[in-house]
Amino acid sequence: MNRITQLFETKKKDILSIYFCAGYPKVDSTAEVIRALEHNGVNMIEIGIPFSDPMADGVVIQNAATQALRNGMSLALLFDQLKDIRSDVVIPLLLMGYLNPVMQYGFENFCRSCRDCGIDGCIIPDLPFDDYLNDFKPIAERYGVKVIMLITPETSDKRIRFIDEHTDGFIYMVSSAATTGAQQSFDEQKQAYFRRINAMSLRNPRMVGFGISNRDTLRVACDNASGAIIGSKFVTLQGENPSPEAAIKQLLAGLSTSLF
């Protein structure tokens, strides 16, 4: 069974997923970051593929991607760093990145490398859903790679139901139409969006991402979905701490609730 599917079948609520950018702050830190996150109780990890034009990302992740590229990170190098990760890491791992580097690598090659490294899924924010259905889904399914789709407050109910019908794993529920970045709270408009999606009784579990950085935003996300995805806040702490272990411990201390 795919590890993503297994996670959501065994843990229905309060799932914590952490995003980091491969190659930041050091080019060779990928495996170290993954192991530190798992060791500290993180349930799922999104490994960012650095790209020169990350349109959906705020300044924190943009800067991390720029530094990672300067450090020499590439998709080929990332797969090389991940080749032995399943010797001791058991939680679900996803790659998150933009379509351009994936297409340069070749989508079937990408899926094959994911399978060979034990990567369970991918998130490609700028992959059009119609292209996914027609050209990408059969290849991804052949290699057992879950392609996770995003929805936003602007996504129509009809489109959301169509996505829910034709994907599995989970749905990435973007908290707002803005770029990634920490927020102190979710306003009433965002919470109304969460209630709207809850009322749809979708087949797939959902994870809320974008803007989660403290116990308040974490609590709202977990109250309205299976869990939360934290990216920018962790990436910021990576830059402020001497090790991934110290960064995740500081993050979890700041999130301190009955969840963890």
Side-chain angles (χ1 to χ4, degrees):
M1 180 186 294
N2 183 282
R3 295 176 191 87
I4 297 170
T5 303
Q6 187 174 31
L7 171 63
F8 285 97
E9 287 189 356
T10 57
K11 187 174 175 62
K12 304 295 185 181
K13 295 290 290 182
D14 300 339
I15 293 171
L16 179 62
S17 180
I18 299 292
Y19 166 96
F20 75 94
C21 181
Y24 174 84
K26 301 182 296 182
V27 71
D28 58 352
S29 60
T30 302
E32 180 186 7
V33 176
I34 292 170
R35 291 185 172 109
L37 293 175
E38 183 180 55
H39 179 255
N40 283 276
V42 171
N43 306 118
M44 184 164 60
I45 298 173
E46 296 174 18
I47 306 161
I49 304 166
F51 181 51
S52 57
D53 186 24
M55 65 185 74
D57 292 307
V59 65
V60 170
I61 294 177
Q62 286 182 22
N63 290 341
T66 298
Q67 184 61 53
L69 292 171
R70 287 174 179 165
N71 289 344
M73 178 52 69
S74 67
L75 188 50
L77 177 57
L78 175 56
F79 279 126
D80 186 64
Q81 292 176 345
L82 293 170
K83 64 184 179 183
D84 297 320
I85 200 66
R86 287 302 179 188
S87 63
D88 59 336
V89 171
V90 300
I91 63 174
L93 301 175
L94 296 91
L95 294 185
M96 184 169 187
Y98 293 87
L99 190 57
N100 184 285
V102 172
M103 293 303 292
Q104 287 187 2
Y105 192 83
F107 187 70
E108 183 156 5
N109 287 335
F110 173 83
C111 290
R112 183 183 297 111
S113 294
C114 285
R115 180 200 62 190
D116 293 347
C117 293
I119 298 298
D120 305 290
C122 65
I123 303 168
I124 307 174
D126 57 341
L127 172 61
F129 190 66
D130 292 343
D131 290 352
Y132 158 71
L133 285 179
N134 295 328
D135 302 322
F136 291 79
K137 184 179 181 181
I139 298 171
E141 289 181 342
R142 188 182 313 147
Y143 291 94
V145 177
K146 304 286 188 188
V147 180
I148 306 303
M149 289 291 165
L150 288 75
I151 63 172
T152 76
E154 282 68 43
T155 309
S156 69
D157 287 6
K158 180 179 179 181
R159 189 69 166 179
I160 291 170
R161 292 197 184 280
F162 191 64
I163 289 170
D164 187 48
E165 180 183 354
H166 292 283
T167 64
D168 60 4
F170 66 94
I171 291 174
Y172 192 126
M173 190 172 164
V174 177
S175 67
S176 71
T179 57
T180 57
Q183 299 178 33
Q184 292 305 305
S185 64
F186 288 134
D187 60 23
E188 174 56 28
Q189 183 178 16
K190 293 184 178 68
Q191 296 198 45
Y193 158 59
F194 296 156
R195 291 193 295 270
R196 173 171 71 92
I197 303 305
N198 279 334
M200 295 180 70
S201 300
L202 299 176
R203 179 177 61 88
N204 279 298
R206 305 177 312 281
M207 294 287 287
V208 177
F210 285 44
I212 299 165
S213 64
N214 57 29
R215 66 186 66 187
D216 292 336
T217 48
L218 175 67
R219 182 70 266 170
V220 172
C222 289
D223 283 347
N224 288 279
S226 295
I229 300 163
I230 298 177
S232 296
K233 184 65 175 180
F234 177 67
V235 174
T236 297
L237 294 175
Q238 281 186 286
E240 297 173 352
N241 282 275
S243 69
E245 184 82 12
I248 186 58
K249 286 184 180 301
Q250 184 177 345
L251 175 68
L252 294 176
L255 297 174
S256 178
T257 70
S258 60
L259 295 179
F260 308 109

